[in-house]
Each structure stands twice: as C-alpha cells, then as structure tokens.
Amino acid sequence: MSDPASTGKQRDLTEGSIAKTMLLFALPTLGSSILQSLNGSINAVWVGRFLGEEALAATANGNILMFILISFVFGFGMASTILIGQAMGQRDHTMVKRTMGTALGSIIPITVLLAGVGWVSSPLLLELLGTPSSAFDLALTYLRMIFLAMPVTLTFTLMTMALRGTGDSTTPLWFIALSVAIDLVLTPMLITGVGPFPEWGIFGSAFATAMANTVALIGMGITLYLRGSILTLNKSELHFLRPDKKILSSMFSKGLPMGLQMVVISSAALTMLSLINREGVQTTAAYSATQQLWTYVQMPAMALSAAASAMVAQNIGANQWDRVSAITLWGLIFNVILTGLLIGVLTVFDEAALGLFLGTDSPAVGIGTHIQLLATWGFLFFGVAQVLFGTMRANGYVIWPLMVMVISMYPVRLGFAFGLYPILGSDALWWSFPAGMVATAVMGVGLYLYGAWRKGKVLPPKEAAQITEGYRAQGSCSSSCRDITPTTAWEREEQEGATRRS
C-alpha cells in the first residue's frame, strides 16, 4: 500500500515534533491573514485621516451590516470548498467541476438579489442600527457602493476558497495581493482627487475596493483558463452552472449551520454597535479604529485553532490520544506567547497605532486608548477558548462549542453591557468584551475536561481546519469578510514535497 503522504493530498501530522509541526502550519496561515487584513486597515487609515471621524464611523456601520447580510452566502462558500476538497481527494475531476458550477450558478444569482435588496433597504438598516446622524449620509453612500460590488466581491472570495480546496494556496495569495495593491493605490487617489482622478470621498474608498476585486477576479479567471485549471468550465461543461440538486442539498446541509453560526455571532456584534452608536460619532470612530487593531490581535488564536483542528483530526484517526493532549497543550502555550506579545505591544504603542486611523490630535484617540486598556487583554482568553474548540471540533463536536459562544455573547456580553450600563456608563460596553471572552474560556475548559467530545465522529483534517474559520468573527472585529478564508497552505507544501520526492 502506498504512503498516504505520497498522494500529495495532505501532510502526515501524526509524526514528528508537535511544536514544530504546529508552527509550520500556523505561521503561513497567520501571514496570509495579516496580508488580507492590511487592506482594510490601510483603507481605514485613509478614510480616518482624510475624511474624519464621521467617515470612519460610517465604515464601521457599513461593514458590520455587510458582514451579517452575507453570512449565509459565506457559509455556503465554505461548504463548497469542503466538497471540492473531498472530490479532489477522490480524484473525481468531474465532481469538482459539477461542484464549482453549482456553487457559481447558485451564489451569483443570490448575491445579485442581495445587492438589489441591500441597495433599497440601506437607509432602513442604518436607521435600525442607530447610526449617528452626522455619519448617516456617508454611511449610506458607502454601504450602497459595497452592496453594488457584492456579486464581484463574493465571487472573488468563492474562487479563492475553491482554489484552496484543490490544495492551491499560492494562486489565491497572489491575486489577493494584487487586489490589495490596486486598492491601496486607488483609495487615496479617489478619496482626495489626485491628478486626473475625481474627488469622490468615501464613495471613492468603496469604489476602489470594488475595482480592485474586479480586476483581481478577471485576472484570476484568465490565469485559470490559461493553466487549464480543473475549476474552469469549457463550452461543453457550461451546463454544470445549472445547480445540481444533490450537490446543492449537500452544500446547504453543511453551509447553513456555518452561516447560522456567523449570523449569531455578527448579530451580537450588530447589537453591540447599536449601543456604541448611542455614545456619539467620536466613540464609534474610536471603536472602529480599535476593531482594526483587534483584527490582528486575534489572528494567532485563529491560526493555532486551525492548526490544532487539522493535527488532532489525524491523530485521533491514528488513535494517538497522547499526542492529542500534547497538541492542545502546545496550542495553549503558543497562544499565550503570541497573543500575549501582541497585547503587550499594543498596550505600549496604543496611542500611536490609533493615531494612524484617527489622527494624533483627534479626541477619539483618548477614547480608543481607554477601550484598549479595558478590553484588549480579553483576547488572551479568546485564544484559550479557540484552541480548545479547535481540538474538540476535530472530532465532530461542534454544537456545544457553538452554544458556549452564543451564551458568552448574548446572556454574558450583551447582558453585561445592558445590565451594568446604569452603573458603569460606557465602560460597561468595553468591559463586556473581556467578560464574554473569559466566560467562553471557562466554559471551553469545562467542555474540554468533562464534555463528550472524545466520543464524537472525527472530521477530515481539511474540514476540521476550515470549519474553524467560520468562528473568527466572535471577536466582532473582522473588518471585511475577505479576511476569513479557509487555509490549506500546508497541503500545498506537502504536494510540492511529494512531487520532489517522486
């Protein structure tokens, strides 16, 4: 029987140094996440510095609304990636094409419909959110442009996810980098009207992102056709765009729970933002800048959670339970080191970091530093919970971790914010974040020690790692949906290694 590793489909995670293997998995994931998030952060710098606190507050309101509305679609895309990966593992190229065709043929019409509904309902959505009046018109302009770009943005996201499902993590990285580069160049030009470019303000920021994604999507499509990628459909295969009922049913059965998880998570964030909006535009702007920084603080935890999931899935399959415990322990150790280091750096340089987004002389900087001091330390406990959940999800134990997150965000976080507001004022909002994270960690430890996760049904390593990504928004600080993409870089590396060995 041939060595499984020789198929080039996945790395053997049941042997060798656990610490080294985890770092080799987690660090590329972390690097990719940083690159993808830089785009949103630098755009926020341009918006905040050139257009002011009102515009930055407008993007915070627009982004969270956008995120909650696309959650179902994103879960659908993650399910498509899993099915494509499974078909690739079975060497069923026809099924890969059928799955890709069904995904495109379903998601594109849905996103077009969402774009139209979103355009019409944008004023009502912003009113329901309690968007500050001084930021309302800017938020409306920004949100409507984001909705118009939704079909392109989500198709681009789907394509990058599908490529990762085939084991190709390099092509998505290059085209995400292209999109980021175009966006970074266009955004300041279209905001301020440099040279021949029009001065479009906040509309220019959203338009630049849309154009960057469009160019990257077209470039990726051309590249895949020139390569003869398995994901491309030739003229005789265009009928695959008519959704296959069986595949569609499987996508929904996998994608709907993941979409619901993201809806639950982002709806809690939406409620929190409505409370923050009541504090005024400067507080909302300070919170928006803080969110950008929190995006980076939570990255090590998510990368380590994905690594733990994939490694545990293989080791449970090999009945190596002693390594499962060691994997979890090393994940917790690395989380304390990496997340703790980021929290420390951010605490020391918080004013300088927030000043990038708000301007050093903005009164919102003081509000932002106060938020950081009260809340950022909670991400250390967020990381503990994510590593433990990553371990448990690898054995198919997904419902109770989700329930823990629901409890920590609704009764705990929102209960804390609402219940203690009369006593603590706005500080209740900021303390509610670490309160929810500590509660998640405590309940996570309880599940790990006493839950029935060891009796679950082991998931494939890829699915175990990818399903972790649907939980990244728990910190309520993802600036866009594009920085939440499943990672299979470790598979790509193993494929190249297998090729060299052969």
Side-chain angles (χ1 to χ4, degrees):
M1 184 178 294
S2 62
D3 182 355
S6 68
T7 64
K9 295 304 175 188
Q10 62 185 43
R11 170 175 293 174
D12 188 347
L13 304 176
T14 64
E15 299 177 351
S17 167
I18 290 173
K20 180 180 178 181
T21 301
M22 179 167 279
L23 284 178
L24 287 175
F25 187 115
L27 289 180
T29 306
L30 181 61
S32 181
S33 297
I34 290 172
L35 175 62
Q36 292 164 352
S37 296
L38 275 175
N39 187 35
S41 296
I42 296 176
N43 278 349
V45 170
W46 295 130
V47 170
R49 296 298 292 270
F50 289 144
L51 300 178
E53 287 94 344
E54 290 82 1
L56 194 58
T59 63
N61 282 266
N63 283 332
I64 191 63
L65 279 172
M66 183 71 174
F67 187 84
I68 192 170
L69 290 172
I70 67 173
S71 292
F72 282 112
V73 179
F74 190 78
F76 189 79
M78 289 182 67
S80 303
T81 307
I82 292 170
L83 293 177
I84 287 171
Q86 291 173 347
M88 284 293 295
Q90 297 165 359
R91 300 184 182 275
D92 189 343
H93 293 184
T94 300
M95 181 56 70
V96 172
K97 290 179 178 289
R98 285 184 180 277
T99 304
M100 191 72 244
T102 296
L104 289 173
S106 304
I107 285 183
I108 292 176
I110 291 172
T111 58
V112 171
L113 179 62
L114 276 178
V117 172
W119 172 276
V120 173
S121 61
S122 288
L124 176 61
L125 292 172
L126 292 172
E127 287 176 5
L128 291 174
L129 193 56
T131 304
S133 56
S134 59
F136 190 91
D137 290 340
L138 290 170
L140 181 60
T141 299
Y142 180 82
L143 185 59
R144 279 183 161 170
M145 183 61 227
I146 292 295
F147 271 122
L148 284 180
M150 182 185 283
V152 168
T153 301
L154 288 184
T155 301
F156 179 54
T157 301
L158 174 64
M159 291 300 298
T160 60
M161 293 168 74
L163 279 165
R164 291 170 189 258
T166 68
D168 180 1
S169 62
T170 304
T171 301
L173 185 60
W174 281 114
F175 282 99
I176 288 171
L178 174 64
S179 175
V180 169
I182 294 172
D183 203 356
L184 294 184
V185 172
L186 279 182
T187 295
M189 292 182 175
L190 290 176
I191 286 177
T192 60
V194 175
F197 292 92
E199 185 178 349
W200 280 346
I202 197 168
F203 174 81
S205 173
F207 184 83
T209 300
M211 287 302 300
N213 286 338
T214 301
V215 171
L217 176 61
I218 293 172
M220 181 185 292
I222 292 173
T223 300
L224 294 183
Y225 270 100
L226 290 177
R227 288 180 182 172
S229 169
I230 190 174
L231 295 178
T232 58
L233 304 177
N234 58 42
K235 189 177 296 186
S236 64
E237 296 168 334
L238 292 179
H239 64 279
F240 289 155
L241 290 171
R242 188 182 305 115
D244 182 290
K245 291 182 179 179
K246 188 174 181 179
I247 296 174
L248 196 61
S249 174
S250 182
M251 285 181 181
F252 272 110
S253 66
K254 288 178 178 288
L256 189 60
M258 286 187 275
L260 284 173
Q261 292 158 11
M262 296 178 71
V263 168
V264 168
I265 292 164
S266 52
S267 64
L270 198 67
T271 305
M272 182 62 69
L273 185 59
S274 69
L275 297 177
I276 293 169
N277 279 335
R278 298 177 186 177
E279 301 298 313
V281 69
Q282 287 188 350
T283 299
T284 304
Y287 175 65
S288 178
T290 303
Q291 280 188 309
Q292 293 292 335
L293 301 179
W294 284 352
T295 298
Y296 298 94
V297 174
Q298 69 177 334
M299 284 181 181
M302 300 312 304
L304 290 167
S305 182
S309 290
M311 293 175 70
V312 167
Q314 282 198 17
N315 282 275
I316 291 177
N319 199 30
Q320 297 190 121
W321 284 92
D322 56 328
R323 283 178 63 88
V324 170
S325 300
I327 289 166
T328 307
L329 178 60
W330 273 110
L332 294 174
I333 292 172
F334 285 138
N335 167 67
V336 170
I337 295 171
L338 296 176
T339 305
L341 180 62
L342 284 176
I343 291 172
V345 170
L346 191 56
T347 302
V348 174
F349 298 104
D350 55 352
E351 288 190 15
L354 290 164
L356 290 173
F357 301 97
L358 300 165
T360 54
D361 57 346
S362 170
V365 170
I367 300 173
T369 56
H370 185 65
I371 296 172
Q372 295 274 26
L373 182 64
L374 295 186
T376 305
W377 60 271
F379 280 96
L380 202 61
F381 293 87
F382 169 84
V384 169
Q386 291 307 310
V387 171
L388 295 177
F389 289 166
T391 296
M392 291 184 279
R393 288 182 191 125
N395 211 31
Y397 196 70
V398 295
I399 300 300
W400 276 105
L402 172 62
M403 295 307 298
V404 164
M405 291 168 59
V406 171
I407 293 169
S408 67
M409 282 182 289
Y410 279 92
V412 178
R413 179 185 292 179
L414 294 180
F416 193 104
F418 278 104
L420 294 182
Y421 189 88
I423 300 172
L424 300 178
S426 61
D427 281 357
L429 306 179
W430 319 132
W431 279 109
S432 72
F433 284 95
M437 294 175 189
V438 170
T440 306
V442 170
M443 288 185 283
V445 169
L447 282 183
Y448 180 79
L449 293 177
Y450 305 110
W453 66 273
R454 293 173 180 83
K455 300 177 182 178
K457 180 181 180 182
V458 65
L459 297 179
K462 182 190 304 178
E463 183 170 348
Q466 288 175 344
I467 209 168
T468 299
E469 307 295 342
Y471 295 83
R472 183 178 297 178
Q474 186 194 8
S476 309
C477 49
S478 178
S479 58
S480 69
C481 65
R482 195 173 63 187
D483 64 351
I484 314 177
T485 47
T487 301
T488 53
W490 56 286
E491 288 189 308
R492 182 66 174 178
E493 292 166 1
E494 179 60 20
Q495 286 178 354
E496 292 168 352
T499 301
R500 288 193 296 270
R501 289 192 299 270
S502 62

